[in-house]
Amino acid sequence: MDNSFKLDTKDFNQTIDRYIKLRNADYLTEVNRRAANIIMKAMQYTTRTNPDKVVSELGAIQQVRRLKGGAGRETKAKKNRDFYKGIPAGYKIFNWRRRFRPQSLPPGLRGKGLGGKAMGAKYDSFVKAARRSCAYIVAGWIPALNRYKEQGIKIKSDIKRSPSKKTSAGKGYAIPAQRAGDYLKTIFANSANGVEKIGVKPLQIAFRLEEQDMREFMEREEQKRLNKLKR
């Protein structure tokens, strides 16, 4: 499945070229800085699903594992302490996804219909995977953003951990701008599954806002020049 897309950045490229010349800024630094800004804005404007809403829609009930022996105390182990138990409708949703939409599930959760204890364990993993996916497209920008951070660009993100490289979100990348004669460019990509459906509009907004910021600066500088001529 091809989940790639490209944006036409011709106007943006012309704007940043004029902007850098006007400011007499360093091309390499400014191109990388603007690229990181675009990524951060794309993350900001990407819609994230509410995890609690996802749990509710999947017919899941959050519970806490208890210690054996009848004490009724919660286990101290953080790993797998919380788990999700489904109502009958929730189990039906999971089995339906396994049968008709297996590509929407992690490989370990695909297969034929389940029941009994096998259903309980798999359903818990199903709900937890759905919760993690709420910010999956946003997380897909982290690998690219980290490459600009390595170049000394200051970045901000509320997602602290990079996605696993085994996932599609972890396969994003960036090639920061490097000096190569008169030709200079940077490339960045989000490889998360579904980015072509959810990520296009936020990225377009991000490019537009960055271009608007540069245009407004140039307009202010032009107005200053005209004001001087009037004196």
Side-chain angles (χ1 to χ4, degrees):
M1 180 179 66
D2 184 10
N3 65 338
S4 64
F5 68 90
K6 293 182 179 180
L7 296 183
D8 183 355
T9 60
K10 182 178 179 180
D11 289 342
F12 179 88
N13 293 341
Q14 292 175 347
T15 300
I16 194 172
D17 188 57
R18 290 167 48 213
Y19 171 83
I20 291 175
K21 289 178 179 177
L22 180 61
R23 293 205 65 169
N24 196 27
D26 178 73
Y27 268 85
L28 186 150
T29 301
E30 193 62 27
V31 168
N32 285 335
R33 186 178 75 85
R34 291 289 174 175
N37 285 350
I38 289 169
I39 292 174
M40 288 185 283
K41 284 183 171 65
M43 294 170 69
Q44 177 185 348
Y45 286 95
T46 299
T47 301
R48 308 187 196 192
T49 307
N50 186 304
D52 293 332
K53 183 179 179 181
V54 169
V55 170
S56 176
E57 290 177 346
L58 294 178
I61 302 171
Q62 185 175 9
Q63 297 188 346
V64 179
R65 286 187 172 83
R66 303 287 176 176
L67 291 171
K68 295 181 179 180
R73 291 178 296 158
E74 295 180 8
T75 175
K76 294 182 180 180
K78 292 183 178 180
K79 186 177 181 180
N80 296 328
R81 178 174 60 188
D82 298 329
F83 71 100
Y84 293 93
K85 185 177 181 179
I87 61 176
Y91 295 143
K92 287 182 180 180
I93 291 172
F94 181 36
N95 271 336
W96 186 90
R97 292 273 293 275
R98 285 169 64 87
R99 182 177 179 182
F100 297 105
R101 294 288 187 276
Q103 71 277 8
S104 70
L105 299 172
L109 296 179
R110 300 171 187 175
K112 299 179 180 179
L114 293 172
K117 291 183 179 180
M119 166 60 84
K122 291 287 186 179
Y123 181 79
D124 175 50
S125 298
F126 165 60
V127 176
K128 288 177 178 177
R131 279 181 59 90
R132 290 193 299 269
S133 71
C134 290
Y136 194 69
I137 301 300
V138 177
W141 286 117
I142 294 297
L145 196 58
N146 285 340
R147 285 291 290 118
Y148 292 109
K149 183 179 180 180
E150 293 170 2
Q151 299 294 313
I153 304 299
K154 294 182 179 180
I155 66 172
K156 292 181 180 179
S157 170
D158 61 344
I159 298 179
K160 304 303 179 183
R161 294 179 59 185
S162 295
S164 169
K165 293 183 179 180
K166 296 180 180 180
T167 65
S168 62
K171 295 177 181 178
Y173 64 91
I175 304 175
Q178 300 292 336
R179 300 189 187 282
D182 296 331
Y183 188 67
L184 187 151
K185 70 175 181 178
T186 184
I187 299 172
F188 53 85
N190 183 333
S191 299
N193 289 334
V195 69
E196 77 285 1
K197 298 178 181 178
I198 300 173
V200 178
K201 187 174 181 179
L203 189 59
Q204 290 174 330
I205 292 173
F207 266 98
R208 187 166 65 247
L209 290 174
E210 280 300 297
E211 184 174 3
Q212 179 180 328
D213 178 72
M214 292 185 288
R215 287 183 180 278
E216 289 177 352
F217 172 83
M218 291 188 289
E219 288 171 2
R220 290 194 300 270
E221 291 299 304
E222 177 62 15
Q223 189 59 52
K224 289 179 183 178
R225 187 185 70 82
L226 293 175
N227 291 340
K228 290 180 179 180
L229 292 176
K230 294 177 181 179
R231 293 175 184 175

